[in-house]
Amino acid sequence: MFRSWKFKILVIISVLLLTACGKSLEDRVGEGLRSAEKVFYENNKFANEEIDGVKFYRPSSFAIKEGSDSQNIIFTSKNDTFILFNNPNEEKDSHLFYDLLKADETKKIIKEKSFTEGDTFGFAAVIENDETVELITSVGGSKITTLSTKKDIENHLSVMMEILRSIQ
């Protein structure tokens, strides 16, 4: 009898500890946005890929889907798909994608953050989307979006910003 109580108390304590150690969605979003901001200001990736005259950094774990062109590049990594929209008519200081996001009342923005360095404008945003979240990063006239699980927010936002900051 004494052993069963010890076991039950141990299980309860374990569950409480595991629950307390898990990160909330707000924590994950905050870390992801800070990570994207850090990458935006570091801007340390160099282009290693080119499609139709657009040069950009492609992480080694990413593959480019067949049929991609300079304005719509589709990346895959494991089970994730990332879509890069590139508008060559927009300048580095363009707020186009940011303004479109803010004007879209159907999007439930969990949190977003904008960045400016010199004449370059960028932002990162996390949008509520049922079981997943939609991640958006943008620099000037280029934007990458993906659907992500909550546990991948920080890593995905960081990699997405690395790609955008490398575009030439």
Side-chain angles (χ1 to χ4, degrees):
M1 174 117 168
F2 183 68
R3 283 187 178 178
S4 68
W5 282 103
K6 280 170 113 176
F7 178 74
K8 288 178 184 177
I9 290 174
L10 184 62
V11 168
I12 290 171
I13 291 172
S14 297
V15 168
L16 288 174
L17 284 174
L18 288 174
T19 303
C21 293
K23 293 181 182 176
S24 69
L25 176 60
E26 290 78 23
D27 290 341
R28 292 178 189 272
V29 169
E31 289 174 5
L33 293 177
R34 281 189 295 279
S35 175
E37 179 179 28
K38 181 180 176 192
V39 170
F40 179 85
Y41 289 114
E42 285 177 354
N43 188 17
N44 64 357
K45 294 295 181 184
F46 297 101
N48 61 2
E49 194 76 45
E50 183 177 356
I51 293 182
D52 296 338
V54 176
K55 296 177 183 177
F56 56 91
Y57 167 71
R58 180 186 58 83
S60 61
S61 62
F62 280 45
I64 298 173
K65 243 182 161 179
E66 198 68 36
S68 292
D69 60 37
S70 65
Q71 294 181 354
N72 295 296
I73 301 170
I74 301 172
F75 298 97
T76 56
S77 177
K78 299 179 185 169
N79 295 328
D80 298 313
T81 301
F82 300 81
I83 303 171
L84 167 61
F85 303 98
N86 187 39
N87 184 343
N89 299 321
E90 294 294 321
E91 298 294 324
K92 287 277 189 190
D93 64 349
S94 173
H95 287 65
L96 173 69
F97 291 120
Y98 185 73
D99 294 340
L100 289 172
L101 173 67
K102 297 297 262 182
D104 188 348
E105 295 177 5
T106 64
K107 300 261 187 204
K108 295 179 184 172
I109 301 172
I110 296 172
K111 197 168 184 182
E112 53 87 14
K113 190 166 188 178
S114 61
F115 325 107
T116 304
E117 182 178 56
D119 65 344
T120 303
F121 174 79
F123 76 93
V126 180
I127 312 298
E128 192 176 310
N129 189 21
D130 297 328
E131 299 293 317
T132 60
V133 289
E134 179 182 0
L135 306 179
I136 302 171
T137 57
S138 176
V139 174
S142 301
K143 172 179 90 165
I144 296 180
T145 65
T146 190
L147 293 178
S148 175
T149 61
K150 293 170 181 143
K151 69 179 176 71
D152 291 329
I153 292 172
E154 182 177 3
N155 182 52
H156 284 355
L157 284 175
S158 177
V159 170
M160 292 161 65
M161 190 59 77
E162 285 177 347
I163 295 168
L164 287 174
R165 289 295 278 162
S166 72
I167 294 176
Q168 300 173 7

